[in-house]
């Protein structure tokens, strides 16, 4: 074997090892471990969170790029059909007003037909309180976790980030801060998941939707998210006022059953 051939073989081995390491560091989620996470088509690279059979929460920036979406529920590997997906078109998009940032960045997407809940598709509860500083949260989405890189991964990624105190974020981002924000991340850790509308969940509750990717532009900085606990009442009001009325069932010839009305529909958290 010639010296040149040996060098080429060694180079292939090194590159293969480097690729294996990079794949290992991709922060891939466990398959279908985030059944509330929705892939929104027609809005660039965007995600949202399913909170009800009819409703998805996403960022204003995602809603700004399109007047309609196709929502893929139960998705994990977006490069293939896994047989777990439900593809449902939207029929209504409602943005929080005023639209301009940094005041608010939140939108509601109504599905044209209700999602069917199963092990791959489940809603995430709205928050019962705001996340305290230091609480560990998980962020998921289809985006790069490497700062200043625009890679579009095939499989959903997850990162773990701690909530940062509001005052620290207010000092860090004085021109891009409002009380409707929460930021999360830690110096020396992975603070970047470059997916519009990426979803932050803390203790099993929806606490954030992507706003600014500070951590993707400057790795030591935390990224900012819409502070969902500040908008729970608005979200509930939108759902109450705009949820579709299902067609009535035909009259039955059998005696009516007495139903427990309190057991119907999703349980909503009151703020």
């Amino acid at each position: 074997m010639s010296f040149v051939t040996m060098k080429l073989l060694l180079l292939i081995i090194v590159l293969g090892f480097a690729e294996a390491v990079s794949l290992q560091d991709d922060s891939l989620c466990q398959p279908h471990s985030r059944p509330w996470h929705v892939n929104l088509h027609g809005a660039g690279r965007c995600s949202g969170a399913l909170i009800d059979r009819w409703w998805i929460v996403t960022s204003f920036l995602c809603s700004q790029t399109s007047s309609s979406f196709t929502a893929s529920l139960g998705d994990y590997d977006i490069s293939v059909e896994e047989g777990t997906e439900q593809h449902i078109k939207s029929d209504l998009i409602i943005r929080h007003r005023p639209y301009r940032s940094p005041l608010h960045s939140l939108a509601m997407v109504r599905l044209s037909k209700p999602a069917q809940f199963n092990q791959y598709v489940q809603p995430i509860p709205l928050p019962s309180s705001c996340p305290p500083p230091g609480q560990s949260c998980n962020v998921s989405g289809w985006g790069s976790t490497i700062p200043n890189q625009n890679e579009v991964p095939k499989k959903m990624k997850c990162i773990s980030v701690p909530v940062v105190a509001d005052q620290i974020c207010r000092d860090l981002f004085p021109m891009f801060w409002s009380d409707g924000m929460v930021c999360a991340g830690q110096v020396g850790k992975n603070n970047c998941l470059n997916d519009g509308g990426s979803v932050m969940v803390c203790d099993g509750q929806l606490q954030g939707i992507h706003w600014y990717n500070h951590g993707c532009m400057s790795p030591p900085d935390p990224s900012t998210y819409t502070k969902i606990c500040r908008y729970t009442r608005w979200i509930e009001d939108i759902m109450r006022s705009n949820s579709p009325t299902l067609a009535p069932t035909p009259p039955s010839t059998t005696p009516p059953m007495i139903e427990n009305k309190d057991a119907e529909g999703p349980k909503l958290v009151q703020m």
Side-chain angles (χ1 to χ4, degrees):
M1 181 183 297
S2 69
F3 179 71
V4 174
T5 303
M6 184 176 296
K7 286 186 67 176
L8 286 173
L9 286 174
L10 287 173
L11 179 61
I12 292 171
I13 292 171
V14 169
L15 290 175
F17 178 76
E19 183 178 358
V21 171
S22 67
L23 288 174
Q24 190 175 17
D25 293 340
D26 270 351
S27 303
L28 294 178
C29 303
Q30 288 295 318
H32 303 289
S33 59
R34 307 294 190 272
W36 54 81
H37 198 116
V38 180
N39 186 19
L40 295 174
H41 306 272
R45 189 191 310 169
C46 270
S47 294
L50 184 71
I51 59 170
D52 175 77
R53 290 186 185 276
W54 293 99
W55 291 99
I56 294 165
V57 175
T58 189
S59 71
F60 165 73
L61 294 177
C62 289
S63 71
Q64 191 179 26
T65 61
S66 179
S67 59
S68 65
F69 301 112
T70 296
S72 291
L73 319 177
D75 221 341
Y76 173 68
D77 187 337
I78 59 177
S79 67
V80 297
E81 280 290 315
E82 302 169 274
T84 58
E85 300 92 344
Q86 298 176 36
H87 304 294
I88 306 176
K89 291 186 178 297
S90 67
D91 67 0
L92 180 66
I93 299 173
I94 300 176
R95 302 179 182 93
H96 194 287
R97 296 178 179 173
Y99 304 150
R100 63 188 180 277
S101 202
L103 296 178
H104 306 285
S105 178
L106 192 64
M108 300 275 290
V109 177
R110 189 178 73 186
L111 300 173
S112 59
K113 64 178 182 179
Q116 301 301 309
F117 294 161
N118 54 38
Q119 70 182 92
Y120 305 107
V121 177
Q122 287 289 327
I124 184 73
L126 293 174
S128 55
S129 61
C130 292
Q135 182 174 18
S136 180
C137 302
N138 293 296
V139 180
S140 53
W142 287 277
S144 175
T145 55
I146 301 173
N148 301 303
Q149 185 183 92
N150 290 321
E151 168 216 11
V152 181
K154 297 177 180 179
K155 299 177 181 179
M156 187 186 296
K157 291 190 177 183
C158 293
I159 60 174
S160 180
V161 291
V163 174
V164 177
D166 287 352
Q167 187 58 53
I168 294 176
C169 298
R170 191 176 290 112
D171 294 341
L172 282 171
F173 316 119
M175 300 295 292
F176 301 96
W177 183 258
S178 77
D179 289 337
M181 290 180 174
V182 60
C183 64
Q186 185 176 354
V187 174
K189 299 290 185 180
N190 191 349
N191 299 331
C192 172
L193 207 168
N194 190 17
D195 174 18
S198 58
V199 179
M200 186 172 80
V201 171
C202 312
D203 195 25
Q205 297 181 340
L206 176 64
Q207 292 285 9
I209 295 289
H210 163 263
W211 197 329
Y212 286 123
N213 270 331
H214 296 297
C216 290
M217 296 179 287
S218 176
D221 291 338
S223 288
T224 54
Y225 305 84
T226 297
K227 199 170 191 175
I228 297 296
C229 62
R230 301 284 191 191
Y231 296 93
T232 306
R233 192 176 301 279
W234 179 80
I235 292 171
E236 292 176 351
D237 288 344
I238 293 297
M239 294 169 66
R240 191 178 300 113
S241 303
N242 297 278
S243 288
T245 303
L246 297 177
T249 54
S252 174
T253 56
T254 58
M257 297 291 290
I258 298 175
E259 298 179 350
N260 178 5
K261 297 295 184 182
D262 292 337
E264 293 183 350
K267 300 295 185 182
L268 299 180
V269 178
Q270 297 294 330
M271 293 297 286

